[in-house]
């Protein structure tokens, strides 16, 4: 097959010109309304399951948080890390597996939909998909770092995370690909260079900063940050039960 131009070249690389393959990949985009309904039902069902589970068979009673408000407990969650069985962490599955994987799968489906509609994939769509895939791959390669973020370490599992990972993340985070599948935009070479440069530099800064924070956590502050002695703030705070906690805050580095 001979491909003309960047758009057609990308189409050949992604789909090999196979109509049946493209149709299959684009099926999520073609059935988007039905998927939204199913995702909402699923997200609500998991939220109800998490709420009921906290009362009936909690995984770790010490990590439960009851506010006294049914609405707050349902929305913000009661259990920190609810498990089904010994190994199925419901929060990690929802956010890490379902949410992050669906992000890329849905993006690729709308890429295929654009190709199906217009016979090529625009360079703007390729850039969007590239950065989304880069972020998701980085997430799985550095999953240990993610375990220390606020979502996993502090936020309890309720509607906000259950519905959010099933509906909000897959819908909102793929909105660029959804739009471009209907309104393709081919950027100028100058615009491509500027966007790629800004995006890659931003991602490099994001990765460097998180690597430094992770190193700080693992060594309990006994490390160099950016080749220099780290600067920290020793913070003290108390929780609602009156317990005093100590926390080291990194205030140097990238």
């Amino acid at each position: 097959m001979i491909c003309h131009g960047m758009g057609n070249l990308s189409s050949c690389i992604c789909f090999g010109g196979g109509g049946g393959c493209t149709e299959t990949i684009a099926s999520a985009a073609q059935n988007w309304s039905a998927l939204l309904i199913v995702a909402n039902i699923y997200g609500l069902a998991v939220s109800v399951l998490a709420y009921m589970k906290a009362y009936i068979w909690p995984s770790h009673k010490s990590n439960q948080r009851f506010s006294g408000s049914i609405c707050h407990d349902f929305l913000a969650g009661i259990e920190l890390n609810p498990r089904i069985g010994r190994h199925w962490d419901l929060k990690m599955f929802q956010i890490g597996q379902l949410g992050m994987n669906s992000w890329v799968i849905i993006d690729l489906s709308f890429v295929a939909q654009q190709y199906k509609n217009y016979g090529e994939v625009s360079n703007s769509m390729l850039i969007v998909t590239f950065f989304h895939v880069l972020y998701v791959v980085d997430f799985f390669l550095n999953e240990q770092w993610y375990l220390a973020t606020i979502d996993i370490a502090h936020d309890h599992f309720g509607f906000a995370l259950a519905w959010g990972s099933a509906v909000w993340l897959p819908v909102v985070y793929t909105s660029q690909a959804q739009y471009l599948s209907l309104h393709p935009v081919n950027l100028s070479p100058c615009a491509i260079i500027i966007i790629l440069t800004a995006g890659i530099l931003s991602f490099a800064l994001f990765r460097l900063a998180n690597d430094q924070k992770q190193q700080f956590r693992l060594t309990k502050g006994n490390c160099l940050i950016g080749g220099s002695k780290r600067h920290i703030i020793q913070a003290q705070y108390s929780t609602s039960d009156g317990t005093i906690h100590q926390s080291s805050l990194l205030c140097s580095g990238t």
Side-chain angles (χ1 to χ4, degrees):
M1 174 179 290
I2 300 175
C3 303
H4 302 282
M6 182 177 178
N8 285 333
L9 176 60
S10 64
S11 303
C12 293
I13 294 172
C14 294
F15 305 109
C21 178
T22 304
E23 190 76 26
T24 301
I25 298 173
S27 59
Q30 293 171 352
N31 297 281
W32 190 233
S33 297
L35 282 176
L36 287 181
I37 294 173
V38 172
N40 273 281
I41 294 173
Y42 171 79
L44 286 170
V46 174
S47 302
V48 172
L49 171 66
Y51 181 81
M52 295 177 63
K53 179 186 176 303
Y55 283 95
I56 300 172
W57 70 95
S59 301
H60 306 285
K61 290 186 177 182
S62 59
N63 289 331
Q64 288 180 294
R65 180 187 62 191
F66 294 97
S67 68
S69 167
I70 294 176
C71 290
H72 181 276
D73 289 347
F74 178 75
L75 293 174
I78 298 172
E79 290 192 273
L80 182 62
N81 286 95
R83 286 177 176 266
I84 298 177
R86 292 183 59 189
H87 303 293
W88 188 1
D89 188 305
L90 200 53
K91 185 198 288 186
M92 278 300 297
F93 172 78
Q94 282 290 120
I95 301 174
Q97 304 302 319
L98 179 65
M100 300 302 285
N101 281 310
S102 64
W103 185 1
V104 172
I105 291 171
I106 292 169
D107 267 355
L108 293 177
S109 184
F110 279 101
V111 170
Q113 180 70 4
Q114 186 189 79
Y115 175 74
K116 182 176 179 294
N117 289 340
Y118 298 98
E120 65 176 26
V121 179
S122 65
N123 52 30
S124 59
M125 178 70 93
L126 288 177
I127 291 173
V128 164
T129 307
F130 166 73
F131 281 118
H132 288 180
V133 170
L134 178 64
Y135 184 88
V136 172
V137 169
D138 176 77
F139 168 84
F140 286 109
L141 290 177
N142 297 282
E143 197 168 16
Q144 183 182 10
W145 156 80
Y146 184 69
L147 297 177
T149 61
I150 191 170
D151 289 354
I152 300 299
H154 300 286
D155 288 347
H156 288 238
F157 188 71
F159 174 84
L161 290 180
W163 181 86
S165 57
V167 181
W168 175 266
L169 191 159
V171 173
V172 175
Y173 286 22
T174 62
S175 57
Q176 303 94 334
Q178 294 176 47
Y179 176 83
L180 290 172
S181 71
L182 299 174
H183 309 281
V185 176
N186 275 305
L187 302 168
S188 67
C190 181
I192 292 173
I193 292 172
I194 292 173
I195 293 172
L196 285 176
T197 301
I200 291 172
L201 288 176
S202 298
F203 179 80
L205 182 63
F206 162 81
R207 173 53 29 225
L208 180 60
N210 282 304
D211 283 345
Q212 291 177 352
K213 288 190 290 184
Q214 180 69 357
Q215 183 185 17
F216 179 77
R217 292 190 192 100
L218 294 176
T219 61
K220 300 186 184 302
N222 186 25
C223 62
L224 297 177
I225 299 296
S228 304
K229 184 178 180 180
R230 81 287 182 275
H231 298 285
I232 63 174
I233 297 174
Q234 294 294 347
Q236 186 180 82
Y237 65 96
S238 61
T239 49
S240 58
D241 60 0
T243 304
I244 304 297
H245 300 269
Q246 297 286 341
S247 181
S248 298
L249 304 179
L250 178 64
C251 56
S252 63
T254 302

